[in-house]
Each structure stands twice: as structure tokens, then as C-alpha cells.
């Protein structure tokens, strides 16, 4: 311990050791001391010297410090000193201003020590293990050390962490630490970890990073929060930018909806702090990442839909129209709204309906265009408005029509300012930037829309009092020629480029517009004069655009003007300019540096207004037309004729193909119709089969009843005489059977009618759809339908035969009944099943009584008790017979009332009754004698 007191400021006499010697002695003490306290004091001394003697400590002590991390993990204090010392030698926290060379040396030194530390991957694994310690003096310096390693050698450290088991999960646990300093430094660590590494970004996202980060942002006050909110937003940007998997996960997790409260800025927008501006700027960037044009179209459209449904777009439009919003936030908001509505019809329609809170209310588009053509507005704001207008018209033919309609004579309102009036005002103003922006905006209203190109030809402008109005197309060419004659010094290049881009977009793929352009006798001489001159660098760009415009006049020329046919224009180029010179001037457009820059991104981003020359969509048009115009200029008349013939042949071929396609569509429709009809007929067939099955069941029931009647009739004829009683229910049964026969007759006729209808329908379908591609389908359908109909005919023939047999048998029964056969004997057993069972019981009782009487007559002496019981039963039978007589009498009366002929058997009935009474008296007398 005396040694350390001398090193750390004791008053030992003699010369003091140098820093390197002291560090060497401390390192020896760390390596050789057996007491933990001595090693701890030595590491503490190294920590205090590590900032001043960074090189020496790093060179001599790093290996000893790493060994301490491995051997003394049980003592958190010495581990904390070792981690702090390693952090100091790897990362310099000195904030003094240093020159460039000194800073470079410091960075190189940190990179060297980082390389030495990560040379063995086990060292990083050890550090990740130490981060699991909850002790503040271990975890916090460990987080700072790992962050410094990532800053110095990010890819190498990321590779080790990626293959380390649970490496990323251990770092994600830092966000859940209750100590804010560790949580905040953990955010910085994850920022470094997720830079340019998609695999780690995915792992962090699936470790529930989005939920935790959004919770922290909400807890910290959203846009009003501090630096922690900024760190969370930066980490979110790292996770989402150029990572489609994480973007999809963010959208499907409904995290877009949680972004809406970020943009509720309130009515009082005064006093925006610098931190709030930074936070809101990052939040807007986060929205743009989700709907960036570089994303896949499907993912972008899905995010745009979610932003509209959750109200995020509405909230952004509120900020757009609010007052007191800082200029940079307003600019970024305009850019964000632009990409949220780009290519989304629903969002574009909503944006078209947004009004500014002015008196009277004006559409947001008009207010923005007023800023775009106002030369006093900031340049970046005007670029943002132009981008917003371009995105509003992107793939939006409805919006294009609305913009062009504001220029047509029938829709102009003199009391209000329209978008078309602002564009025309900017197009012909004295400000070159306004000219360019208005020309590009108007060109986007015509992009890929032939209808609006033709409609814009109707626009007439009043140039001055007393002069007739001129068309917008003519006015553009007039201004172009005027500016060209007055700008030999190279000025107004921006205006001419803008007008030329508008004219090229307007007349491309529109022969009518080409005819209108060529109809002005001054246009072609002006273009040829511009192309043939030898001017400066900027003028060469104008010459290339003039060559493009003239080439469009050749390529899309319909030869309706005799003086300016394709052939004559090519001859003019060959004489006045030269084909090779023309193609060279045309090719200069794509070689221009600003052309390449504009072709990269849809958003117009320019360092200065002077470099604002090309539009992104126009670069696509040039790329498409350059090759076609070059070929058109070099072609001879014979080649053109051949091409025309080939084109006509191709058109004819296309027409034939179209006809065949239509024929195939019709046949597909017919096949589908036949399938539906077949399905319908199949279902009808099943219904008919069910009906036939039911009818067959009924016929079988009637046949069974008929057989029972025949048997019963024969039996009754043998056992009884002609004078029998008539059952009161037979008339109703006869009527019911007659109705059944009539109903079966009707059903048979109906089935036959349906069969005839189906035969007619099949014949009609066969004759109607006699088409070659359908021959196989028709033959299959014919075979199927014929088989089904044949089966139906067989079943119906069988049914008809059975019905005829039943009718003949029933007629025979009726004939016999009319000849005097007892109605009771014929129809007694033809009742329904329920009444049949009751009558069967009655017959059994009668049979029992008859047998009982016979037994009583032969064995009177033996069965006295049975005789009394038999008497009782006979009394019941007499009562029943009396009731039957009454029913028969009433039914006979009803038959007479209905006009039926009924035989008068009352006397016979009375005689029979008297006879029965006499028999009963005799039996009573016999019993008394016995």
C-alpha cells in the first residue's frame, strides 16, 4: 500500500517515476498480487491514468484488464474499474477543440485498441455476459464500452453479436432497465448496433422493439419530449429504413395508428423549441419511410390506406393548413403529405377536398400553388409544393381532369382564383423559377392522359386589349421564341427548358396536338434555327430539347398537313441540320449531369434554383422517345412504307386476335351458361326423381290396398249373403280414391309436359350453340341429357302402365259395386292405416263373440259365468250396430240429397233387425229353462 501512496501523490523523496514506469509497475501489481484489494487499487490507479496516458495504458494494461474481467467477476467494484479503464483507452471523451490531424490520430488509436480487443471473439462474449449483471457499476460502463466498440468497428462487432447466443436479446433488456441513464445509453447502443445490418434489425424488431420504443416516446411526451424521444425516433428509423420486412411488421402490428397522436400540435403554435422541431422532423421522416416511392407498390399502398383510415393523413393536412408552424416543419409536412397521397386515389380525393381556414375558404391545392408561384417564398418550400402537386396528379386522371377543367372557358369563375389561373400566371411571369415550376406542374396534368392533352388545346388566352385570343399552345411557342431571341447571353435557360418540357409532354403520343403545333408556320423554322446554331454549354441543352420536340413532330405525325409530312420534315432536317448532327444534339440531353440527378428520385431536390432544370417524369419520357426518334429520322421512305405495311399487318393480326379473344370470351360465357343450365336440369331431374319415388310409393300403397280388398271381397262373398250392412265411411273413401286417381292423372300429364319442354329446350340449345370449339361440350351434354331423359321415359312408362292397371282394376271394382255388390264388402278394408287398425279390432271382437256363442251352445252347463259375460258383450255389440244403423241412415240421406241413387233396403234392414230380436228372445228363453 505504501507503493500506491507514493504513486498517487505521496511525499517520497528523490526523482519521481515517469508515467510509463508507473503504469508498468501497476500492471505488474495487477498481474502478481494475490490480494483482491491490491489488484482493485492497482486497477483504480490505472483508470485514473487512462485518460492522460491513453497510449501507455492501452498498450501495457489491456491484456491485464481483460484477464481481470475473466478472473475477478465476483467483485463488481474491480470489474467496474476495469470496464471504465477499457472505455477510456478505446474512446476519448475529451471535448477540447482539436485540429484535424490530432482528431484523426485519436480515432486511429481507438480503432487499433478496438481491433486488439475484438481480435478474440470471446472477449465480446464475455462483455455481453457482464451486461446481464444488474449492478449499476458493472452494467453502465459495459454499455458504454460496447457502444464505443460499435462506433469504431461496427461490422466486426455486429458479426460477433449476431452469432452470439441471445446476444441481441441481452441488449434489448437494457430498454426495460428502471434506471434512466442505462436505458438511455442502451438506446445509443442499439442505434449503433442496428446501423446497416438488416439481420440485426429484424431480430431487434421481433424482440418487441417497436412496442417498447413507442411506449417510451409516449411516456416522454411525444413531440414535446426531450433528447430521449429523439434517440427513440433515430432507432426506429434505423429499424425501418430500407427494411421491407420490418415495415410490414410495423404495419401489421397496428403501430401506424399509434403515430397519429404525435402530430396533434394544438392551436397555439408559438414558441416551438429546437428539440420539438427536431422531434417532429424525425416523426415526419418516419412516416415518409413507410410510404417512400422506393418501397414496393403493394406495401406503400397498404400503408397509405392505413394512414387514411386511422386519420393520420387528416392530421397532417391540419398541420399543413395551420398558422405559426416553422418553415422547415411546414416544408417537411408538405413532402410527407405528398408521399402519403402519391398514387392512392382515395387519399388524393381526400386531399382535393381539404380547404384552408381562410375567408372565403380556398382549396388547399390553390393555397399551395400560390406559394409555388410566389418568388418571395423559400426555395425549398416551393420545391415541396411542386412535389406535392406532382404526387396529387400521379396516376390520377380524375385530378388531372379537374385541373385542366379550371382552364376551359366554360368553367372559369371570374370571382375566384383557380389552380389553372395560377399555373398560367406562373407560366408567363417574369420569374424564371415560377415559369419552370408552372410548366412542370402543367405537364404533370397531361402525363399519360390523351383526353386532357386534347382538352387543353381548347384553352384560349387574351394577350392584350383589342387583339384576338390565342391558344395556350400558341402562346407557349410565342414566349419560347421571344425568350430565345432575347437570351443569346445564356439567361432565361430555365424558362426555355420548362416550356420545352411542357411542349414535348403535351404533343407526345397526341397526333392532334402535333398538327396544331405544326399549323403555326413559325414553329418549325424556329426549331431548326435553334438546333443548327453552335452556342454555349447551356444552349446545347436547349438545342437538344428542340431536337426532341422536332423529333416528336416527326414520330407522331399523321401527315394531315401537306407541308409538314414526315418525309418533308426529315428532308428539312437533312438539308438544314444534318441527320448525324441532329442525333448528336438529341443525345446531349441524357449526357447532362442534371438529367442523371433528376432521374434518380421523383422528389425535386436541388441545391440551388439554377440547377433546377429537369423533372423526374420527363427523364422517363426522354429515355422512351430518344431511340424511337433516332430510328424515325434515319429511316428512308421505303422503309417507312414497309413499316406501315407491317404495322397494318400487325394491326390486322391484332384485330384477328382480338376477334378470337372475343369469340373465346363468348364461348366461355356460353359454356358457363350451359353448365348452369346443366346444373339446373340436374337439380330438376333430382326433384322429378324424388316426386316419382313418392308416386311409386303411393301406387304401391294403392296396390296393397287393392289386393287386400280383393281378398276381403272373396272372403265376404263366401261367408255372407247379399244383404249386408253398408259402412258409413265408404262413400268418403270412394270419393278420396277418385280424387287420388284424378291427381295421379294430373301429375302424369304434368311430368309428360315437363319432359316435352326439356326435349324442346335441349333441341334449341343444340341448334343454337352449334360452334366448333363447343362440339365436345355439346356432345357430352347431349349424351348426359339423353341418358337422363331415357331413364326418365322408362320410369314414366312403367309408372303409366301401373297407373293404367290400377285404373282398370278400380273400374272393375266400381262396376261390380254398381251391380249390387255390397259396398261394405268392397271397400271395408280400403281406409287409411289408422282407421284400418280400429276396424280390425272390431272384426276380431265380432269373431270372438261368434265363437263364444258357439261354445255357449255346446257347453251351456259348464260355462255359466261365460254366458253372462257373453251377454254383456252382445249388448255392447247391439249398441254399436244401432249406432251403425243410424250412421248408415244419415249417410244414405246425404247421398240422396246429393243426387246419388241408393237402393231402398230399409225393409230388409227392419226384417233383419226383427229377426235378430226374435233370435235374442229365443236365446233368453233357452237360458231361463236351463
Amino acid at each position: 500500500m505504501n507503493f500506491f501512496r507514493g504513486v498517487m501523490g505521496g511525499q517520497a523523496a528523490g526523482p519521481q517515476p515517469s508515467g510509463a514506469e508507473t503504469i508498468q509497475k501497476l500492471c505488474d501489481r495487477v498481474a502478481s498480487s494475490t490480494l483482491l484489494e491490491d489488484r482493485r487499487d492497482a486497477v483504480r490507479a490505472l483508470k485514473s491514468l487512462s485518460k492522460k496516458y491513453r497510449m501507455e495504458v492501452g498498450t501495457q494494461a489491456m491484456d491485464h484488464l481483460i484477464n481481470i474481467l475473466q478472473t475477478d467477476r465476483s467483485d463488481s467494484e474491480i470489474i467496474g474499474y476495469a470496464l471504465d479503464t477499457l472505455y477510456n483507452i478505446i474512446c476519448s471523451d475529451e471535448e477540447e477543440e482539436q485540429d484535424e490531424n490530432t482528431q484523426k490520430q485519436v480515432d486511429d488509436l481507438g480503432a487499433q485498441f478496438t481491433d486488439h480487443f475484438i481480435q478474440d471473439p470471446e472477449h465480446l462474449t464475455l462483455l455481453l455476459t457482464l451486461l446481464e449483471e444488474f449492478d449499476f457499476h458493472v452494467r453502465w460502463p459495459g454499455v458504454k464500452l460496447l457502444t464505443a466498440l460499435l462506433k469504431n468497428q461496427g461490422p466486426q462487432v455486429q458479426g460477433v453479436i449476431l452469432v452470439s447466443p441471445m446476444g441481441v436479446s441481452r441488449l434489448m433488456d437494457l430498454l426495460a432497465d428502471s434506471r434512466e441513464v442505462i436505458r438511455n445509453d442502451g438506446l445509443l447502443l442499439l442505434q449503433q448496433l442496428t446501423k446497416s445490418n438488416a439481420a440485426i434489425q429484424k431480430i431487434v424488431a421481433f424482440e418487441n422493439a417497436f412496442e417498447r420504443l413507442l411506449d417510451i416516446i409516449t411516456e416522454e411526451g411525444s413531440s414535446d419530449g426531450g433528447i430521449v424521444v429523439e434517440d427513440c425516433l433515430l432507432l426506429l428509423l434505423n429499424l425501418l429504413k430500407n427494411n421491407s420486412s420490418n415495415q410490414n411488421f410495423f404495419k401489421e402490428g397496428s403501430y401506424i395508428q399509434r403515430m397519429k397522436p404525435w402530430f396533434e400540435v394544438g392551436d397555439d403554435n408559438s414558441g416551438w423549441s429546437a428539440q420539438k422541431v427536431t422531434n417532429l422532423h424525425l416523426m415526419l421522416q418516419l412516416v415518409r419511410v413507410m410510404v417512400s416511392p422506393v418501397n414496393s407498390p403493394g406495401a406503400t399502398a397498404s400503408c397509405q390506406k392505413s394512414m387514411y383510415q386511422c386519420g393520420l393523413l387528416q392530421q397532417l393536412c391540419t398541420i399543413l393548413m395551420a398558422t405559426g408552424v416553422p418553415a422547415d416543419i411546414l416544408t417537411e409536412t408538405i413532402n410527407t403529405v405528398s408521399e402519403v397521397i402519391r398514387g392512392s386515389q382515395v387519399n388524393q380525393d381526400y386531399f382535393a377536398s381539404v380547404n384552408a381556414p381562410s375567408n372565403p375558404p380556398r382549396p388547399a391545392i390553390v393555397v399551395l400553388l400560390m406559394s409555388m408561384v410566389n418568388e418571395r417564398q423559400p426555395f425549398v418550400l416551393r420545391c415541396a409544393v411542386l412535389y406535392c402537386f406532382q404526387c396529387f396528379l400521379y396516376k390520377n386522371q380524375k385530378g388531372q381532369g379537374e385541373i385542366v377543367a379550371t382552364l376551359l372557358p366554360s368553367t372559369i369563375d371570374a370571382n375566384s382564383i383557380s389552380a389553372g389561373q395560377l399555373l398560367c400566371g406562373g407560366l408567363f411571369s417574369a420569374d424564371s423559377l415560377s415559369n419552370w415550376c408552372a410548366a412542370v406542374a402543367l405537364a404533370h396534368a397531361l402525363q399519360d392522359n390523351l383526353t386532357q392533352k386534347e382538352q387543353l388545346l381548347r384553352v384560349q388566352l387574351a394577350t392584350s386589349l383589342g387583339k384576338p385570343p390565342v391558344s395556350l399552345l400558341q402562346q407557349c411557342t410565342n414566349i419560347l421564341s421571344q425568350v430565345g431571341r432575347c437570351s443569346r447571353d445564356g439567361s432565361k435557360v430555365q424558362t426555355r427548358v420548362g416550356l420545352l418540357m411542357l411542349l414535348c409532354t403535351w404533343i407526345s403520343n397526341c397526333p392532334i396536338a402535333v398538327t396544331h403545333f405544326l399549323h403555326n408556320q413559325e414553329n418549325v423554322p424556329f426549331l431548326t434555327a435553334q438546333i443548327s446554331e453552335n452556342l454555349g454549354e447551356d444552349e446545347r441543352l436547349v438545342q437538344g430539347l428542340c431536337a426532341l420536340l422536332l423529333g416528336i413532330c416527326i414520330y407522331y405525325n399523321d401527315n394531315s398537313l401537306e407541308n409538314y409530312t414526315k418525309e418533308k420534315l426529315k428532308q428539312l432536317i437533312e438539308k438544314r441540320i444534318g441527320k448525324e448532327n441532329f442525333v448528336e444534339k438529341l443525345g446531349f440531353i441524357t449526357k447532362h449531369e442534371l438529367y442523371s440527378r433528376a432521374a434518380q428520385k421523383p422528389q425535386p431536390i436541388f441545391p440551388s434554383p439554377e440547377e433546377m432544370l429537369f423533372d423526374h417524369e420527363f427523364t422517363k419520357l426522354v429515355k422512351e422517345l430518344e431511340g424511337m426518334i433516332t430510328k424515325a429520322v434515319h429511316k428512308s421512305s421505303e422503309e417507312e412504307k414497309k413499316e406501315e405495311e407491317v404495322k397494318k399487318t400487325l394491326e390486322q393480326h391484332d384485330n384477328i386476335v382480338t376477334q378470337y379473344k372475343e369469340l373465346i370470351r363468348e364461348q366461355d360465357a356460353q359454356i358457363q351458361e350451359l353448365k348452369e343450365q346443366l346444373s339446373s336440369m340436374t337439380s330438376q331431374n333430382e326433384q322429378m326423381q324424388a316426386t316419382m319415388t313418392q308416386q311409386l310409393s303411393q301406387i304401391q300403397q294403392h296396390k296393397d290396398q287393392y289386393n287386400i280388398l280383393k281378398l276381403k271381397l272373396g272372403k265376404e262373398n263366401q261367408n255372407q249373403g247379399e244383404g249386408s250392412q253398408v259402412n258409413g265411411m265408404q262413400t268418403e273413401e270412394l270419393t278420396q280414391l277418385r280424387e287420388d286417381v284424378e291427381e295421379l292423372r294430373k301429375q302424369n300429364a304434368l311430368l309428360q309436359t315437363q319432359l316435352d319442354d326439356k326435349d324442346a329446350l335441349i333441341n334449341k340449345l343444340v341448334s343454337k350453340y352449334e360452334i366448333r370449339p363447343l362440339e365436345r361440350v355439346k356432345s357430352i351434354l347431349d349424351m348426359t341429357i339423353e341418358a337422363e331423359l331415357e331413364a326418365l321415359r322408362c320410369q314414366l312408362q312403367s309408372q303409366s302402365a301401373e297407373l293404367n292397371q290400377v285404373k282398370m282394376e278400380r273400374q272393375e271394382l266400381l262396376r261390380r259395386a254398381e251391380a249390387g255388390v255390397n259396398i261394405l264388402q268392397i271397400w271395408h278394408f280400403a281406409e287409411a292405416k289408422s282407421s284400418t287398425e280400429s276396424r280390425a279390432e272390431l272384426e276380431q271382437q265380432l269373431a270372438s263373440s261368434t265363437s263364444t256363442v258357439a261354445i255357449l251352445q255346446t257347453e251351456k252347463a259348464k260355462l255359466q259365468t261365460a254366458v253372462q259375460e257373453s251377454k254383456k258383450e252382445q249388448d255392447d255389440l247391439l249398441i254399436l250396430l244401432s249406432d251403425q244403423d243410424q250412421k248408415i241412415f244419415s249417410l244414405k240421406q246425404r247421398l240422396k240429397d246429393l243426387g246419388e241413387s241408393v237402393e231402398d233396403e230399409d225393409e230388409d234392414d227392419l226384417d233383419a233387425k226383427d229377426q235378430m230380436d226374435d233370435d235374442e228372445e229365443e236365446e233368453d228363453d233357452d237360458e231361463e229353462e236351463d
Side-chain angles (χ1 to χ4, degrees), residues 26-241:
L26 290 172
C27 291
D28 294 339
R29 181 63 62 176
V30 170
S32 59
S33 295
T34 56
L35 294 177
L36 178 61
E37 184 179 357
D38 291 344
R39 292 198 301 274
R40 186 191 305 131
D41 291 338
V43 174
R44 186 191 299 120
L46 288 172
K47 174 189 171 184
S48 63
L49 296 172
S50 59
K51 290 185 178 181
K52 185 176 181 180
Y53 300 101
R54 183 182 177 196
M55 171 69 80
E56 291 78 3
V57 174
T59 304
Q60 300 181 38
M62 178 172 282
D63 293 335
H64 299 293
L65 294 172
I66 294 173
N67 189 51
I68 289 291
L69 297 179
Q70 294 171 340
T71 57
D72 291 332
R73 290 186 56 183
S74 59
D75 186 71
S76 59
E77 189 174 358
I78 192 172
I79 295 294
Y81 293 149
L83 292 173
D84 283 331
T85 307
L86 289 171
Y87 173 74
N88 290 337
I89 62 178
I90 288 175
C91 177
S92 177
D93 285 339
E94 295 180 0
E95 299 181 357
E96 296 89 3
E97 294 185 1
Q98 299 175 343
D99 57 21
E100 185 176 352
N101 294 330
T102 305
Q103 184 64 38
K104 186 177 181 181
Q105 292 176 1
V106 171
D107 294 338
D108 292 342
L109 189 61
Q112 292 175 9
F113 290 140
T114 302
D115 289 337
H116 182 71
F117 184 86
I118 66 174
Q119 195 171 11
D120 187 355
E122 291 297 326
H123 296 165
L124 280 174
T125 305
L126 175 62
L127 182 57
L128 291 172
T129 306
L130 291 174
L131 289 178
E132 293 182 343
E133 297 289 338
F134 187 74
D135 192 295
F136 180 80
H137 296 91
V138 175
R139 185 173 249 194
W140 187 39
V143 170
K144 293 194 296 180
L145 176 58
L146 187 55
T147 305
L149 294 172
L150 284 165
K151 284 182 180 179
N152 292 334
Q153 297 292 346
Q156 292 84 344
V157 179
Q158 287 173 339
V160 176
I161 294 175
L162 190 60
V163 299
S164 176
M166 300 297 291
V168 178
S169 299
R170 292 170 181 170
L171 301 180
M172 284 299 300
D173 291 339
L174 299 174
L175 297 182
D177 201 302
S178 58
R179 294 159 294 193
E180 289 189 3
V181 63
I182 294 180
R183 184 199 67 182
N184 298 342
D185 284 347
L187 289 171
L188 300 177
L189 170 60
L190 291 172
Q191 284 181 29
Q192 297 296 327
L193 179 67
T194 55
K195 279 185 178 179
S196 305
N197 193 310
I200 292 179
Q201 290 169 1
K202 292 178 183 179
I203 296 173
V204 171
F206 282 98
E207 288 286 345
N208 206 23
F210 294 140
E211 184 75 28
R212 295 184 184 181
L213 292 173
L214 292 174
D215 288 342
I216 294 173
I217 291 173
T218 303
E219 292 170 2
E220 295 292 327
S222 296
S223 59
D224 294 322
I227 190 68
V228 177
V229 173
E230 179 182 351
D231 292 336
C232 290
L233 294 171
L234 289 172
L235 179 54
L236 284 173
L237 285 172
N238 281 354
L239 295 175
L240 294 173
K241 196 169 186 179

Side-chain angles (χ1 to χ4, degrees), residues 852-916:
T852 304
V853 171
I855 292 171
L856 288 173
Q857 290 177 353
T858 57
E859 297 180 359
K860 293 180 181 178
K862 298 179 182 180
L863 302 172
Q864 290 292 335
T865 57
V867 169
Q868 296 298 327
E869 192 173 2
S870 176
K871 284 183 67 180
K872 200 172 186 182
E873 291 177 357
Q874 286 180 354
D875 292 338
D876 294 337
L877 288 172
L878 287 173
I879 294 171
L880 290 172
L881 289 172
S882 176
D883 292 340
Q884 285 184 350
D885 290 338
Q886 187 64 32
K887 288 180 181 179
I888 291 170
F889 180 78
S890 61
L891 289 172
K892 277 181 156 187
Q893 189 63 37
R894 288 176 62 188
L895 286 173
K896 288 180 180 181
D897 294 341
L898 293 172
E900 295 286 338
S901 61
V902 181
E903 294 182 1
D904 192 4
E905 298 178 352
D906 292 344
E907 295 179 358
D908 295 337
D909 293 342
L910 291 174
D911 293 340
K913 187 175 181 183
D914 293 340
Q915 184 65 34
M916 290 178 64

